[in-house]
Amino acid sequence: YLFYNALTPKKLLPVYSPAMVNAELVPEEIQHIRKYHTIADFSLTNQNGETITQEDYKDKIYIADFFFTTCPSICPI
């Protein structure tokens, strides 16, 4: 068992950059990006009124998709 684990490569989740996917799916202005990209430090308030920062996701895999709305009540998104 010890030798099996030592000789079995660890499977890693792949990270894709815009240049690695079908160009039709990527906006033209970022198709040239060849390296992995990051987002700047952030501090946001979630739906429970709690402040969320990048530290809440340290050492975790996450997808960041930021958007803003001005719905007067429940948004129809």
Side-chain angles (χ1 to χ4, degrees):
Y1 182 75
L2 175 65
F3 291 111
Y4 175 79
N5 287 338
L7 299 175
T8 304
K10 195 173 195 179
K11 293 182 180 181
L12 301 175
L13 183 67
V15 176
Y16 296 99
S17 68
M20 297 168 67
V21 299
N22 185 333
E24 293 176 4
L25 302 174
V26 180
E28 190 173 316
E29 62 271 11
I30 65 169
Q31 288 180 5
H32 69 282
I33 297 175
R34 300 264 179 232
K35 292 192 170 207
Y36 309 134
H37 48 277
T38 60
I39 60 171
D41 291 350
F42 61 91
S43 177
L44 304 168
T45 303
N46 70 10
Q47 69 275 16
N48 300 318
E50 302 164 333
T51 300
I52 303 297
T53 70
Q54 66 281 355
E55 286 299 311
D56 293 294
Y57 297 98
K58 187 175 182 175
D59 298 324
K60 297 178 182 175
I61 297 170
Y62 66 94
I63 297 172
D65 185 13
F66 299 105
F67 65 93
F68 175 77
T69 66
T70 57
C71 302
S73 64
I74 298 174
C75 289
I77 296 176

